[in-house]
Amino acid sequence: MPLHVPPAPAPALRTVLTALGSPTAVREARTPSLRAAQGPVTPELPLAVHVLDHATDPGPAATRLAGWRFLIRSGDHAVAAADTMLTPDGWAFSRFFEGPYLPSTERALQQAETLQQPYQPRLLSVPGLYMLTLWLHGDIAADPAEGLPAADDLLIPLAPAPPGISAHRPHRVSELLPVLTLRANHVPLLGSPA
């Protein structure tokens, strides 16, 4: 079943297009693949990036929209990603980057395309565990900037995942969120015994 990828806010997309058209922004980006790309590069697959602020609290997960991420394609594959963020003045370009989350995101999106149920793809960051997941939201008509992870939504941890959590294994929110909450509550402090 195809994923239902909602459009990003037009101002967020414009900031990425402006940055891609700026030789200074591309040259100063620490993305060798983007600088070396032959031919046109295009921002595709906009994903709302939500942050799980309180993985340590029992009860419903509290998330907030942190920005939008675009995969930057050259030819048939992504060579980089671009992040935007919401500022008091509106959407602003944040950065270009590449690294392990780029191919991991592409792989998770391909996995999601094979599922029987339609989903709206988003990203869910869990900063307390240095973790990023592809969040497959079951309400495909929902505003991508809003909403909480529903119990039957799916989370696909991206690689590298924290120790003990398998990357690219889909989990229902109702199964994975309690594990994340427990793990976040038991992260040892630096210098304390494990």
Side-chain angles (χ1 to χ4, degrees):
M1 184 71 48
L3 293 175
H4 294 267
V5 180
L13 176 58
R14 275 195 302 272
T15 67
V16 172
L17 291 170
T18 299
L20 282 171
S22 164
T24 304
V26 172
R27 187 174 51 251
E28 290 180 2
R30 293 186 179 146
T31 57
S33 296
L34 181 59
R35 287 193 310 267
Q38 299 295 315
V41 292
T42 56
E44 296 179 358
L45 288 168
L47 298 170
V49 180
H50 292 259
V51 175
L52 182 62
D53 281 321
H54 304 291
T56 58
D57 295 341
T63 64
R64 63 179 168 81
L65 179 69
W68 283 83
R69 178 167 294 169
F70 297 80
L71 298 183
I72 308 299
R73 291 213 180 273
S74 176
D76 63 349
H77 66 285
V79 294
D83 278 350
T84 63
M85 62 184 179
L86 191 56
T87 70
D89 295 326
W91 289 101
F93 171 76
S94 177
R95 66 186 178 128
F96 290 119
F97 68 95
E98 60 185 88
Y101 284 132
L102 187 59
S104 188
T105 300
E106 284 191 300
R107 179 178 170 190
L109 287 165
Q110 289 168 355
Q111 280 181 271
E113 285 283 352
T114 67
L115 299 173
Q116 296 301 313
Q117 181 177 339
Y119 288 102
Q120 181 188 93
R122 304 171 174 192
L123 292 172
L124 181 65
S125 173
V126 186
L129 297 175
Y130 302 99
M131 180 179 184
L132 186 63
T133 71
L134 179 64
W135 169 15
L136 299 174
H137 191 52
D139 182 358
I140 59 173
D143 180 347
E146 297 178 0
L148 300 174
D152 58 345
D153 286 355
L154 292 180
L155 297 176
I156 302 176
L158 302 182
I165 297 176
S166 299
H168 297 288
R169 183 174 170 262
H171 300 270
R172 294 241 174 258
V173 165
S174 60
E175 298 166 355
L176 186 58
L177 200 55
V179 172
L180 300 180
T181 301
L182 182 66
R183 295 281 301 275
N185 282 324
H186 291 91
V187 174
L189 299 175
L190 290 176
S192 66

